[in-house]
Amino acid sequence: MGVEEDPKRNLDLLVRESQFDQIVADILATGQYERIQQSPRYRVVGGLTAQVPCLQHIDERHPLHGIRLSLWSEDVYKLSADGPMVEVPSLMFQFPMLIEDRFHPTTGTTSKTETFPRDFESSCPVYIPTIPCLLNALLDQQRYRLANREKYKGISTIVPSCQLRRITDRLHLVEPQQREILFAELADENRAGMEVELGKHAEWLERRRAASACCRYLPG
C-alpha cells in the first residue's frame, strides 16, 4: 500500500511483516536506492519512527531520482496489509483526492482528481487503506504511544493526532451525518478515542469562528 506523505519527494509504504526484511534488501539490491536517515523536515523523528527505513533513489537519470521511500512494517504502523483497501489510480497526487464517495462531505466541498506527475503513474494496481481502516490504525498508534510515553520523549501523540485532525477537518467528521457513517465502521475500542478527537476539533472550530467574528468588528 502506498500513502502520500509529500506530493513530490516522499512516499510512505506499508509492507507485510513477514516480507519486510526481504523487501528492504531487494530494493537496496537494485543499486538504485541508498538507505538514509529519516529527516525531521518531513516527520517527527523519535520512538518507533526511528525504526522506519528510509530509502532514497540515487539514479540521476531516472524520473524517480531523489524520491524517498519510508517503509513501515505492519507492527510499527498498527495496520494490516491484508485489511480493507481501496484502489487508487496513481502513487502520488497534486491535490487531495477522495476515492471513497460515501465519505464525501455534504457541505458543498469538492475533491480534486488531478495526478502529478505523469512519470509516477503506475503500471500495476496501487492500493491504500480505507478511511476507517486508516483511522483505526492512527487511533491504535495514539493509544500505544500514550501507554509508552517513555519511548517518545514528549512527542507521544503528535504524529497520529496531526493526521487525525487533518482527516477530521477535510471530511467534516464533526457533522452528525459524517460521524454516523464513520462510527459504523470504527472498531469498538477506538470509538471513545475518536469522540475525544472530534471534541477537540469542535472546540478548535468554535475558537476559529470566535476569532473571525472579533476580526470583523475591529476598527479599520
Side-chain angles (χ1 to χ4, degrees):
M1 294 181 196
V3 179
E4 174 199 334
E5 194 259 309
D6 177 274
K8 295 183 180 179
R9 296 291 91 191
N10 298 276
L11 194 68
D12 283 340
L13 300 175
L14 180 69
V15 181
R16 187 172 283 106
E17 199 78 33
S18 61
Q19 301 173 322
F20 188 82
D21 292 339
Q22 187 61 55
I23 287 176
V24 173
D26 287 348
I27 293 175
L28 291 172
T30 65
Q32 296 187 343
Y33 288 84
E34 65 178 1
R35 187 163 180 167
I36 63 173
Q37 295 294 318
Q38 289 286 356
S39 172
R41 178 181 176 186
Y42 297 103
R43 67 176 77 255
V44 178
V45 178
L48 292 178
T49 308
Q51 300 177 25
V52 179
C54 186
L55 310 182
Q56 181 168 318
H57 202 288
I58 58 175
D59 186 349
E60 295 181 358
R61 299 165 299 177
H62 197 282
L64 290 177
H65 175 248
I67 198 78
R68 287 180 288 268
L69 307 180
S70 289
L71 304 179
W72 295 77
S73 70
E74 293 171 301
D75 182 62
V76 171
Y77 207 90
K78 312 301 179 190
L79 183 63
S80 171
D82 295 315
M85 296 179 290
V86 59
E87 186 174 352
V88 294
S90 177
L91 281 171
M92 295 185 178
F93 303 96
Q94 185 174 5
F95 300 103
M97 180 177 179
L98 182 63
I99 300 296
E100 297 174 82
D101 290 341
R102 70 186 188 282
F103 285 106
H104 198 293
T106 58
T107 53
T109 60
T110 59
S111 57
K112 299 180 179 180
T113 58
E114 295 91 341
T115 58
F116 171 87
R118 291 291 179 182
D119 290 335
F120 290 132
E121 290 188 358
S122 177
S123 59
C124 59
V126 178
Y127 296 94
I128 62 173
T130 62
I131 290 170
C133 188
L134 179 59
L135 287 173
N136 275 320
L138 292 171
L139 291 162
D140 288 341
Q141 286 182 38
Q142 188 174 63
R143 190 166 54 252
Y144 178 86
R145 289 166 183 254
L146 284 170
N148 296 272
R149 290 177 183 270
E150 69 281 357
K151 296 182 180 180
Y152 294 92
K153 301 178 181 179
I155 60 170
S156 59
T157 60
I158 291 176
V159 175
S161 285
C162 287
Q163 294 188 55
L164 286 166
R165 191 178 307 121
R166 189 177 301 118
I167 295 171
T168 297
D169 184 53
R170 290 190 172 181
L171 296 185
H172 298 257
L173 295 181
V174 294
E175 300 293 336
Q177 68 274 13
Q178 292 292 92
R179 180 190 179 283
E180 183 179 354
I181 296 171
L182 171 68
F183 271 66
E185 300 186 45
L186 275 185
D188 292 343
E189 64 270 20
N190 285 330
R191 288 175 182 168
M194 195 65 208
E195 287 281 16
V196 172
E197 292 300 321
L198 293 180
K200 290 178 183 178
H201 193 71
E203 291 176 2
W204 176 78
L205 288 174
E206 187 58 37
R207 290 195 301 270
R208 188 171 68 174
R209 292 190 191 102
S212 178
C214 289
C215 289
R216 286 199 300 270
Y217 292 105
L218 288 176

Short mmCIF file of all heavy atoms in Angstrom, two decimals, residues 16 58 142:
data_model
loop_
_atom_site.label_atom_id
_atom_site.label_comp_id
_atom_site.label_asym_id
_atom_site.label_seq_id
_atom_site.Cartn_x
_atom_site.Cartn_y
_atom_site.Cartn_z
N ARG A 16 4.13 -5.87 4.33
CA ARG A 16 3.72 -7.04 5.13
C ARG A 16 4.87 -7.48 6.03
O ARG A 16 6.02 -7.60 5.61
CB ARG A 16 3.27 -8.16 4.21
CG ARG A 16 2.68 -9.35 4.94
CD ARG A 16 2.07 -10.36 3.98
NE ARG A 16 0.78 -9.91 3.48
CZ ARG A 16 0.56 -9.46 2.25
NH1 ARG A 16 1.55 -9.37 1.39
NH2 ARG A 16 -0.64 -9.07 1.86
N ILE A 58 18.77 7.16 -6.09
CA ILE A 58 20.03 7.88 -6.36
C ILE A 58 20.40 7.95 -7.84
O ILE A 58 21.42 8.54 -8.19
CB ILE A 58 21.19 7.23 -5.57
CG1 ILE A 58 21.33 5.75 -5.94
CG2 ILE A 58 20.98 7.40 -4.07
CD1 ILE A 58 22.52 5.06 -5.30
N GLN A 142 -2.01 6.06 18.58
CA GLN A 142 -2.13 7.04 19.65
C GLN A 142 -2.24 6.37 21.02
O GLN A 142 -1.58 6.78 21.98
CB GLN A 142 -3.34 7.94 19.39
CG GLN A 142 -3.45 9.12 20.33
CD GLN A 142 -4.57 10.03 19.92
OE1 GLN A 142 -5.73 9.62 19.94
NE2 GLN A 142 -4.26 11.25 19.55
#
